[in-house]
Amino acid sequence: MDSDTPVISAENVWKLFGPSPEAYLSRMPAGRSFEEIRSDGYIAGVKDVSLEVAKGEMLVIMGLSGSGKSTLVRCFSRLHDITGGAVRIDGQDIMSLNATELIELRRSKMGMVFQSFGLLPHRTVLENVAFPLEMRGQDRHARRERALEMVRLVGLEGREDYFPRELSGGQQQRVGIARSLAIEPNIWFLDEPFSALDPLIRREMQDEFLRLQDMLGKTIVFITHDFDEALRLADRIAIMKDGAVEQVDTPDKIVLDPATEYVAKFTEEVDKASVVHASVLASDGVPVDGEPVPGDATILSLARRLVEDRSDAIPVSLPDGRTGAMDRKAALAVLFGERE
Amino acid sequence: MKKLSAMVLATALATPVVATAADSEDPIIIPIHNWSSQIVMSHVVGQMYEEMGLNVEFVTTDSQAVYESVRLGDVALELEVWEGAFGHSFREALSKGGLHDAGDHDAVTREDWWYPMWTKDACPGLPNWQALNDCAEIFATAESGGKGRYLDGPVDWLKHGKERVEALGMNFVVVNAGSAAALWAEIGAAEPDMRPVVVFNWTPNFAEAVWPGEFVEFPTWEDGCDSDPAKGPNPDALYDCGNPADGYLKKAAWDGMPDKWPSAYCVLTKLSFTNPQIAEMAKFVDIDELEPEEAADEWLAANRDIVDPWIGSCT
Amino acid sequence: MSDSTYVGATRQGAEAASVGAIRTRTVVLTLFGAAILLAVLKPWIPSALVRLPEGAILPWADWLDAGFSWLQNDIGLIHVTRTISGWLGFLTDAAANVLYGKARWPRLEALPWSVVAACSAVLGYWLGGWRLALLAGGTFVWTALMGQWRWAMETLSVIAVAVPFGFGIGLLLGMLAWKSRRFEEALRPVLLVLQTLPFYSYLLPAVIFFKVGPTAASVATIVYSMPPMILMTIVGLRKVPPDVVEAGRMSGCTRWQMLRHVFLPSARNEILVGLNQVIMLALAMVVLTAFIGMPGLGAKLLAMMNSFKLGRSFEIGVTIVLLAVTLDRLSKAWVVKQPEHFERGTPWWQRHAFLLLGIATFVLFYLLSQFLPILDEVGRRQSLSRGSEIDAIIKGALGISWVKATTEFIRWFFNIWVLIPTELALLFLPTFTVILAMTGIGYLLGGWFPALIGFLFFAAVAQLGWWDRAMLTLHSTLTAVLLAMLFGMPLAIWAARRARASRWMIFACDTAQTFPSFIYLLPAIMLFGITPITVILAILIYTMVPVVRYTVEGLRGVPREITEAADMAGATRWQKLWKVEFPLAMPTIAVGLNQAFIFAFFMVIIAAFIGTRDLGQEMQRTLAGTDLGKNFTLGFSVVFMALSLDIAINSWARKRREILGQ
Ligand SMILES: Nc1ncnc2c1ncn2[C@@H]1O[C@H](COP(=O)(O)OP(=O)(O)OP(=O)(O)O)[C@@H](O)[C@H]1O
Ligand SMILES: [Mg+2]
């Protein structure tokens, strides 16, 4: 496998819920809307989604409740058999895997954190975390060591022998996270993994998460309702509505250039200045005088310079080493939250 | 006997280790039912077998369905086959094959209409059946519509109370009790205020000791009274006689028993109990409140002279 | 606009509903009208409509006999079943060895009673604290002191084998039914038939195919106690939350691992409730199975009753109830008990404190009993049994004049004015009147399917050839259920308002249900004679139980907000009861009624021990002479009647549930 094969690739993926979805999909006229499909008695959980996730990339999926985020992720892990299209993991079409291969794939490559935790009620914290290891037949000692390590990682040491019902929601969620990490997955699916955590721990977990990501370079699909969280973590953001992906782009682009009304509504409340980076507003190749600002500085952090500098363009040092020019008016517009 | 020696020979040839034709080591399964004399008698016989070095087990069974089990060899024998109550089941099983008659006890059985002594005060002409018929109304109950009420035995004992009432033109209605216990309950309920009752009863059983009473004297039994209308006072009807006053009390054995436990079978054919002996066995349990096992102990201890010859002649 | 469409929609809905109601009414009225017409015109209608002519009745009994003989001899089913019973026999022997020292391989000594009692107390303490310890220990102490130890152990030796099998097979069938809808649909009617087939029909096949003795007894117990296990397993497995299932799949579980590590542990509670039911039903069968070789308490009870020892049979009954209550509470405590964790570094003896305590108790009492024989065995003469005193009390009480007067009055009133007339009326009705009426009831309750079933099944009863007796059986069940409603419902309504009273009521129901029915029979006969009312009373005890229990539970299950809303709307207590609570509780109460019918059909056959003239009596007759074919035609007459009522009531309850959105 060469390194630019996307780790996850979805091609016109459909997931319909209803009495006989395959038959319906094959005779359904193209371009039927979500509402029309619903009036035919089907729910389009995922509607014609195509996207790719590169190795080491973190894709965040956002969207209103019921927009199909969890369903899409379930399609990636084949917890749902998709109705149409194809999902490839490392170039391998997962719908073509037989049961054994699928189990092998999950045992070796995938980890998943569930929105509602999915802890086994009859097992202790430690046993829950060790569960995937046990399933793949690791010996007792090794899996205990590994599980203890994971429990410590999520900050639950001292509670190894508790049962899920003895834990708070946030603690249960952390058990779920530890469990999903136990097998050292390459691909990590996280369905609102931090939703039940208090702000402090949440922040801590996010930092921990970023550190891990830096260290391990996992491919991650992350669902959240929290835009700040998305911005903090995401390489790219996918916004979903009624099963379809409205836009997939970097956070800056989503904020600056929303593809649809719905996406715009989504980003309305966001303080754009703190999201957009200088490099995004810089045009290439035009030499400008002055001290260049760093490309990964947010507009907000450049506020003083933007206001005090009188020139039309401000030099920006781009990631590739060259220098670009940032239109100061445009940057000011972002800073003051004006719409162009 | 020929068959037996042939089997002995076959066993000896097939398994040279066994030198003599000993009884099998397998436990002899003896069925017990839910009345005391049968339970105690079964334990008496069981203890005799144990003295002979045999293994014995008891199993509680229904007293009608047991013949099917004897036939199949699931139990080895049955010690009390009452002519009246179980004759039918026994004969059915006999015709299907698998079990056989292993001789009668000395005891005779009688099953018929019966009343506790206090009834006689209200109807002095008893035990004559016509006298009974004349005081039918004292046996009336709320439901009997003025007629006397006779409580017959359970239907599976195949009594013919109704037929007899019709054949003899009696002023009685016949109600079947569902079980022996139901009969006792009826007598027990009548006892405190000495209410006259006439019910089905039999001898030997424990009730004689608890409630003294008498059988009603019907026209005497003639052979064929149940198959030939001409017999008995009513020329056009069956069952117009009393039941035989000397019904048999049999032993039955599984066909495989003589081969498997020859000496136990020998004892079974030899043994025979009398009415007083059976009554005594029942009394130990019903009146003296012993457990059946203890009752069997006591009875055996007191009657060695009777059982020892049976055992002696078979070993 | 949206408003008017809404109004239009509801109007349309209402019209559709009223059209439906009108159609139902027409169909039902037509059916009942025809039924009544047939009855009124009885003297003039063809006699084939009054009673099926003899010639039209097919020789079912002969065919069944041939079928059994074919099963038994030609295809050699008996060899298969006998092999199975050989294995079962091995197990019951082993259990018997440990519990009472049965003289068979491996010839173990019986455990001293004090060891069993003390260890049960420790178990009780571990599961539920000192109260349960007292109950468990006390039950065994009572059993030993009453001189019933050996019988109780004989009984338990069979239960100890039957219960694990009932549990295991039930679990297996439940899992299969959960996996495959088709299997479930095939299984349900079989279970219903097994549950409604009268006990007398099991007797002979069990004896023939499984060998009289503990083996036949355990097979009968297993068959009878299994259905709730199957149902609870299905319920439990269906309830496992989807996220837990998905977590299992994402952990890379194979199918077997899913079952073993995810589904079964997550369904633990329901599965254990099923186990509890298995235990209770197994104990309920202790007396009946004595007819086919169940040793111990049941057999003793029958023997005591046959020599009219009321007191001692009562004592045995108490022991059976105590055993049932103990096992029930222990198993329920086990359901509730969740695994607990220990802080790290807890020494091992502290973690296993109870196990160690148990072992210590075992050793201690074992040693003690070697020196103190009374702790090993309580002989008959040492026992505290007070049989004859209780006899005297019972007989004395029954002899009191006002008691007699009251019972005489009840007997006279019910027999003469209620039971005999209604019985005669039911017998008077032409066969087709009854069939049409049952069809109508089916349609009224559940629509065309139950109607069809009612028609077919009652026609089948007529065809089986025991119509009059079947009507007598039906009469007893209907009367008993109606009386149970009459007496049970007010009681339940009264209790439902009070938490304490409810708890006591449910407890009383449990106790009444496990108290062996046979013990009620004798006093009932002594009070009311061998008459219809006695039969009804014997059944009534069992029909009251589900009626009371489900009414209490139904009423208490009405959500608080709703009753409060009714209070706020100014409803009086009666209005609240009739307009709010009853309608909401009705589906649950219907389930209770359905159970009452099933119990009634079960008991009415048992009541043959009192003396009846219905199907039960005729079944009793088939036992002499081992008339299997006839036995089953009679048995299936009961099954058909029970099933058509069951199907009708259940579909009504289901419809109500849907309407109420429960
Ligand atoms: N198993 C299923 N059967 C039928 N419909 C389903 C199923 N699973 C999901 N759906 C439907 O698919 C749609 C998308 O659900 P999904 O759980 O993916 O939403 P979501 O975006 O994750 O929402 P949330 O933020 O609330 O978790 C919903 O309308 C839901 O009702
Ligand atoms: Mg979701």
Side-chain angles (χ1 to χ4, degrees):
Chain A
M1 183 190 72
D2 69 272
S3 64
D4 16 297
T5 321
V7 175
I8 304 171
S9 103
E11 224 174 88
N12 307 102
V13 172
W14 283 84
K15 176 68 198 175
L16 298 177
F17 295 106
S20 50
E22 271 91 10
Y24 173 75
L25 184 64
S26 63
R27 65 180 153 73
M28 186 189 74
R32 212 155 166 74
S33 76
F34 183 85
E35 292 305 328
E36 287 165 333
I37 292 175
R38 184 157 70 187
S39 65
D40 294 338
Y42 290 83
I43 298 279
V46 171
K47 187 164 162 284
D48 199 15
V49 169
S50 301
L51 55 79
E52 291 181 348
V53 187
K55 185 166 162 44
E57 187 185 12
M58 171 146 20
L59 175 73
V60 172
I61 304 179
M62 299 197 65
L64 296 180
S65 193
S67 56
K69 307 180 293 292
S70 300
T71 309
L72 180 61
V73 168
R74 282 183 169 77
C75 291
F76 290 162
S77 57
R78 211 184 143 186
L79 283 172
H80 286 323
D81 285 344
I82 55 178
T83 317
V87 172
R88 293 197 184 78
I89 301 289
D90 290 336
Q92 164 77 272
D93 180 356
I94 57 165
M95 288 303 289
S96 69
L97 299 178
N98 65 24
T100 332
E101 290 164 343
L102 185 63
I103 286 172
E104 192 43 46
L105 175 73
R106 287 174 180 159
R107 283 181 178 180
S108 58
K109 279 196 187 154
M110 289 181 173
M112 183 155 176
V113 177
F114 292 88
Q115 189 171 4
S116 39
F117 322 143
L119 300 184
L120 298 167
H122 56 284
R123 289 178 159 245
T124 62
V125 166
L126 200 66
E127 287 166 344
N128 257 295
V129 175
F131 186 67
L133 303 172
E134 187 182 334
M135 291 304 102
R136 67 181 190 193
Q138 212 142 331
D139 78 81
R140 181 180 290 269
H141 186 74
R143 69 181 191 235
R144 192 184 150 79
E145 287 302 305
R146 174 72 187 161
L148 276 173
E149 192 185 322
M150 291 302 109
V151 169
R152 220 167 304 130
L153 187 72
V154 296
L156 284 178
E157 59 262 74
R159 297 190 201 265
E160 293 86 351
D161 295 326
Y162 280 53
F163 284 90
R165 75 196 134 77
E166 298 173 305
L167 300 175
S168 72
Q171 289 168 331
Q172 292 185 28
Q173 199 160 44
R174 282 187 275 163
V175 177
I177 295 169
R179 175 176 66 188
S180 71
L181 280 174
I183 61 155
E184 299 181 73
N186 300 335
I187 308 168
W188 203 12
F189 300 112
L190 298 120
D191 196 346
E192 303 186 29
F194 303 150
S195 58
L197 304 183
D198 64 73
L200 277 182
I201 300 205
R202 190 179 183 122
R203 187 94 197 163
E204 226 171 80
M205 292 296 292
Q206 286 170 0
D207 289 339
E208 184 58 39
F209 192 76
L210 284 170
R211 194 180 63 81
L212 271 173
Q213 173 62 355
D214 259 3
M215 219 164 61
L216 307 173
K218 292 184 192 310
T219 307
I220 296 173
V221 178
F222 191 112
I223 297 175
T224 180
H225 281 286
D226 177 352
F227 213 91
D228 290 332
E229 185 168 271
L231 295 173
R232 241 172 92 80
L233 304 174
D235 291 322
R236 282 189 302 155
I237 297 178
I239 307 259
M240 288 189 75
K241 180 192 176 201
D242 291 345
V245 171
E246 298 267 301
Q247 188 175 7
V248 197
D249 239 325
T250 58
D252 304 63
K253 290 268 177 55
I254 295 250
V255 171
L256 280 181
D257 193 9
T260 63
E261 197 60 10
Y262 174 77
V263 178
K265 262 232 166 82
F266 234 90
T267 59
E268 212 165 50
E269 295 292 302
V270 178
D271 176 16
K272 294 194 178 64
S274 63
V275 177
V276 178
H277 297 97
S279 57
V280 178
L281 294 179
S283 50
D284 213 353
V286 189
V288 193
D289 300 336
E291 180 67 7
V293 296
D296 60 355
T298 58
I299 301 300
L300 186 62
S301 67
L302 300 175
R304 176 169 292 273
R305 171 86 182 264
L306 286 174
V307 175
E308 288 174 356
D309 203 317
R310 292 281 162 197
S311 51
D312 280 348
I314 295 172
V316 179
S317 58
L318 295 173
D320 53 11
R322 290 181 300 167
T323 308
M326 174 169 68
D327 183 347
R328 193 174 69 97
K329 283 238 175 61
L332 280 174
V334 171
L335 184 60
F336 295 118
E338 293 161 9
R339 299 202 72 168
E340 54 251 50
Chain B
M1 211 53 228
K2 213 174 192 172
K3 196 174 155 199
L4 190 67
S5 48
M7 202 223 60
V8 171
L9 201 66
T11 324
L13 290 177
T15 51
V17 196
V18 182
T20 55
D23 285 26
S24 164
E25 292 265 313
D26 290 352
I28 302 172
I29 313 245
I30 302 178
I32 51 182
H33 309 309
N34 48 26
W35 66 94
S36 326
S37 69
Q38 197 270 352
I39 302 177
V40 179
M41 189 191 293
S42 299
H43 277 98
V44 166
V45 175
Q47 290 189 10
M48 282 157 55
Y49 284 166
E50 276 171 351
E51 285 172 22
M52 295 161 61
L54 301 172
N55 288 319
V56 174
E57 266 177 29
F58 299 96
V59 56
T60 54
T61 68
D62 178 65
S63 50
Q64 300 285 4
V66 71
Y67 297 97
E68 196 63 23
S69 302
V70 182
R71 232 167 56 67
L72 293 167
D74 293 338
V75 302
L77 50 88
E78 164 62 52
L79 284 167
E80 284 194 12
V81 186
W82 291 63
E83 171 163 15
F86 311 121
H88 183 71
S89 291
F90 174 66
R91 286 192 300 274
E92 286 274 316
L94 209 56
S95 68
K96 287 192 200 166
L99 92 176
H100 62 270
D101 184 343
D104 291 2
H105 289 282
D106 283 336
V108 291
T109 58
R110 181 169 184 192
E111 305 163 272
D112 223 322
W113 295 39
W114 176 96
Y115 54 88
M117 237 23 177
W118 64 75
T119 302
K120 217 170 177 174
D121 301 338
C123 186
L126 284 172
N128 180 283
W129 71 272
Q130 276 144 334
L132 174 77
N133 199 27
D134 290 341
C135 22
E137 71 277 10
I138 64 167
F139 299 101
T141 62
E143 306 83 13
S144 65
K147 294 184 171 188
R149 174 172 178 272
Y150 165 61
L151 190 63
D152 206 355
V155 280
D156 54 335
W157 297 356
L158 309 174
K159 302 292 110 193
H160 298 278
K162 268 194 197 84
E163 289 84 346
R164 188 182 300 173
V165 163
E166 279 165 25
L168 296 176
M170 295 175 76
N171 192 23
F172 271 85
V173 290
V174 177
V175 172
N176 285 99
S179 54
L183 288 170
W184 309 147
E186 184 84 0
I187 304 174
E191 190 179 5
D193 47 3
M194 307 267 171
R195 183 159 47 80
V197 282
V198 55
V199 302
F200 177 80
N201 201 347
W202 60 95
T203 176
N205 80 23
F206 87 102
E208 300 163 282
V210 183
W211 301 293
E214 286 173 344
F215 286 100
V216 176
E217 298 297 344
F218 278 97
T220 12
W221 167 264
E222 295 172 62
D223 271 343
C225 190
D226 54 352
S227 51
D228 178 3
K231 299 279 166 72
N234 183 339
D236 305 320
L238 296 176
Y239 304 111
D240 46 347
C241 320
N243 288 333
D246 55 349
Y248 64 67
L249 182 67
K250 263 187 196 314
K251 301 157 284 178
W254 170 48
D255 281 351
M257 191 183 176
D259 293 346
K260 199 167 179 188
W261 298 283
S263 45
Y265 179 72
C266 170
V267 170
L268 177 67
T269 52
K270 291 264 159 34
L271 66 82
S272 157
F273 297 105
T274 62
N275 283 37
Q277 288 167 346
I278 294 175
E280 195 186 2
M281 292 179 192
K283 183 186 138 286
F284 279 134
V285 170
D286 291 330
I287 311 296
D288 303 345
E289 304 245 334
L290 296 184
E291 288 308 316
E293 295 85 346
E294 298 167 333
D297 279 339
E298 297 241 345
W299 192 90
L300 269 176
N303 294 282
R304 288 303 334 175
D305 52 323
I306 295 169
V307 299
D308 283 338
W310 297 337
I311 300 177
S313 68
C314 288
T315 41
Chain C
M1 178 214 121
S2 68
D3 264 15
S4 67
T5 35
Y6 173 73
V7 170
T10 44
R11 187 172 303 144
Q12 240 171 23
E15 269 163 20
S18 71
V19 167
I22 288 170
R23 199 185 53 209
T24 307
R25 201 178 308 150
T26 341
V27 173
V28 170
L29 282 182
T30 317
L31 284 169
F32 281 130
I36 293 169
L37 207 64
L38 276 179
V40 172
L41 299 179
K42 187 179 172 189
W44 298 280
I45 60 176
S47 66
L49 292 179
V50 177
R51 287 290 182 270
L52 219 54
E54 288 285 321
I57 290 165
L58 299 170
W60 295 106
D62 298 342
W63 293 346
L64 280 169
D65 265 334
F68 272 113
S69 148
W70 179 75
L71 274 179
Q72 184 183 344
N73 306 319
D74 298 355
I75 66 167
L77 183 62
I78 193 164
H79 300 299
V80 180
T81 54
R82 285 299 174 121
T83 314
I84 296 173
S85 74
W87 298 334
L88 272 177
F90 177 78
L91 294 175
T92 48
D93 282 346
N97 249 296
V98 177
L99 289 175
Y100 64 94
K102 186 176 186 175
R104 273 212 178 183
W105 185 91
R107 294 184 184 279
L108 297 177
E109 286 280 311
L111 287 176
W113 71 265
S114 55
V115 171
V116 178
C119 289
S120 324
V122 172
L123 180 70
Y125 189 77
W126 178 57
L127 285 174
W130 63 268
R131 293 178 124 206
L132 211 47
L134 211 62
L135 177 67
T139 296
F140 286 110
V141 171
W142 154 276
T143 311
L145 291 189
M146 283 293 136
Q148 301 173 3
W149 187 256
R150 188 183 161 97
W151 313 334
M153 291 303 113
E154 285 176 359
T155 300
L156 287 183
S157 74
V158 178
I159 302 256
V161 173
V163 164
F165 272 94
F167 173 75
I169 300 173
L171 187 66
L172 199 70
L173 291 179
M175 290 189 314
L176 290 177
W178 161 69
K179 273 277 168 218
S180 142
R181 278 255 167 217
R182 183 113 23 103
F183 184 75
E184 192 195 352
E185 274 158 22
L187 191 64
R188 267 184 201 271
V190 175
L191 289 183
L192 270 177
V193 171
L194 285 183
Q195 270 180 311
T196 47
L197 191 64
F199 163 74
Y200 278 138
S201 294
Y202 284 113
L203 224 117
L204 285 171
V207 164
I208 293 171
F209 287 103
F210 290 97
K211 185 177 176 177
V212 66
T215 49
S218 30
V219 170
T221 309
I222 292 168
V223 169
Y224 184 73
S225 63
M226 207 170 43
M229 183 68 219
I230 299 177
L231 297 182
M232 286 316 292
T233 306
I234 300 176
V235 169
L237 289 174
R238 294 241 158 92
K239 256 180 57 182
V240 177
D243 56 305
V244 172
V245 178
E246 288 183 334
R249 287 172 64 190
M250 282 312 288
S251 299
C253 290
T254 59
R255 283 163 63 114
W256 165 246
Q257 286 174 326
M258 282 302 282
L259 191 65
R260 163 82 184 69
H261 294 289
V262 178
F263 282 109
L264 290 181
S266 304
R268 177 177 176 273
N269 280 12
E270 285 75 17
I271 290 175
L272 289 182
V273 169
L275 174 63
N276 174 269
Q277 288 296 301
V278 173
I279 296 175
M280 297 305 280
L281 286 176
L283 277 165
M285 287 295 278
V286 159
V287 180
L288 285 175
T289 45
F291 287 97
I292 52 175
M294 176 80 152
L297 294 170
K300 280 290 163 188
L301 179 76
L302 291 182
M304 297 292 173
M305 281 177 46
N306 266 321
S307 46
F308 202 52
K309 293 209 177 86
L310 294 175
R312 291 189 68 197
S313 47
F314 179 77
E315 287 172 357
I316 294 180
V318 172
T319 307
I320 294 177
V321 172
L322 279 176
L323 282 176
V325 172
T326 302
L327 291 178
D328 174 57
R329 292 298 131 90
L330 285 179
S331 56
K332 275 190 186 142
W334 188 30
V335 177
V336 179
K337 189 172 182 68
Q338 299 282 357
E340 45 185 332
H341 75 269
F342 292 94
E343 290 304 329
R344 251 162 186 287
T346 315
W348 66 271
W349 53 265
Q350 213 163 347
R351 288 186 207 206
H352 304 286
F354 280 104
L355 187 62
L356 291 176
L357 184 61
I359 294 172
T361 317
F362 185 97
V363 174
L364 176 72
F365 276 88
Y366 195 86
L367 291 178
L368 273 181
S369 66
Q370 302 306 309
F371 300 108
L372 286 172
I374 190 81
L375 287 182
D376 184 12
E377 201 178 341
V378 179
R380 172 80 187 99
R381 278 164 233 273
Q382 298 152 319
S383 77
L384 303 179
S385 165
R386 284 290 163 269
S388 14
E389 285 84 343
I390 302 177
D391 274 357
I393 294 175
I394 296 178
K395 286 177 193 164
L398 296 184
I400 300 172
S401 59
W402 63 262
V403 174
K404 276 207 112 92
T406 323
T407 58
E408 281 294 322
F409 173 76
I410 295 176
R411 170 178 173 169
W412 170 80
F413 177 77
F414 274 98
N415 283 334
I416 303 298
W417 293 106
V418 183
L419 298 174
I420 295 177
T422 48
E423 212 172 85
L424 290 176
L426 200 55
L427 287 176
F428 164 84
L429 293 180
T431 302
F432 266 83
T433 297
V434 177
I435 296 179
L436 286 178
M438 288 315 294
T439 316
I441 291 175
Y443 195 89
L444 189 67
L445 290 180
W448 67 268
F449 180 68
L452 186 71
I453 291 285
F455 179 81
L456 288 180
F457 281 13
F458 270 79
V461 172
Q463 173 53 228
L464 284 172
W466 296 99
W467 183 263
D468 282 351
R469 285 185 182 265
M471 284 307 102
L472 290 179
T473 299
L474 187 65
H475 176 259
S476 304
T477 31
L478 285 178
T479 323
V481 172
L482 283 177
L483 286 179
M485 287 169 68
L486 200 67
F487 298 132
M489 289 218 168
L491 201 64
I493 292 169
W494 172 82
R497 298 183 178 279
R498 297 160 182 83
R500 256 179 101 85
S502 301
R503 233 176 306 127
W504 277 105
M505 199 61 86
I506 302 266
F507 177 73
C509 286
D510 282 341
T511 314
Q513 209 175 340
T514 39
F515 205 67
S517 40
F518 282 76
I519 298 176
Y520 299 121
L521 300 188
L522 287 190
I525 293 173
M526 294 181 73
L527 287 171
F528 301 104
I530 298 175
T531 61
I533 181 68
T534 312
V535 173
I536 299 293
L537 285 176
I539 308 173
L540 187 61
I541 293 169
Y542 289 85
T543 48
M544 284 276 275
V545 169
V547 168
V548 170
R549 172 188 311 218
Y550 283 86
T551 308
V552 170
E553 277 174 9
L555 289 177
R556 289 189 73 78
V558 173
R560 182 81 165 277
E561 315 85 82
I562 296 183
T563 53
E564 280 171 356
D567 283 337
M568 291 312 291
T572 65
R573 272 174 88 152
W574 275 107
Q575 284 173 324
K576 198 165 78 175
L577 187 66
W578 283 116
K579 299 268 154 77
V580 180
E581 290 171 325
F582 246 111
L584 283 172
M586 227 27 225
T588 311
I589 296 176
V591 172
L593 270 185
N594 191 36
Q595 273 210 2
F597 270 110
I598 302 260
F599 279 9
F601 275 110
F602 182 78
M603 269 312 289
V604 73
I605 300 299
I606 305 289
F609 282 97
I610 300 174
T612 53
R613 286 165 298 121
D614 64 353
L615 292 169
Q617 189 194 36
E618 198 61 29
M619 294 192 86
Q620 214 177 29
R621 206 196 300 270
T622 62
L623 295 182
T626 58
D627 240 340
L628 263 184
K630 181 174 159 193
N631 181 301
F632 271 76
T633 53
L634 292 160
F636 270 92
S637 304
V638 177
V639 168
F640 284 136
M641 291 192 291
L643 283 192
S644 52
L645 283 171
D646 175 272
I647 289 169
I649 296 177
N650 263 339
S651 60
W652 183 83
R654 209 171 322 121
K655 258 188 0 201
R656 290 302 306 174
R657 279 235 157 84
E658 266 162 30
I659 291 171
L660 295 173
Q662 283 173 346

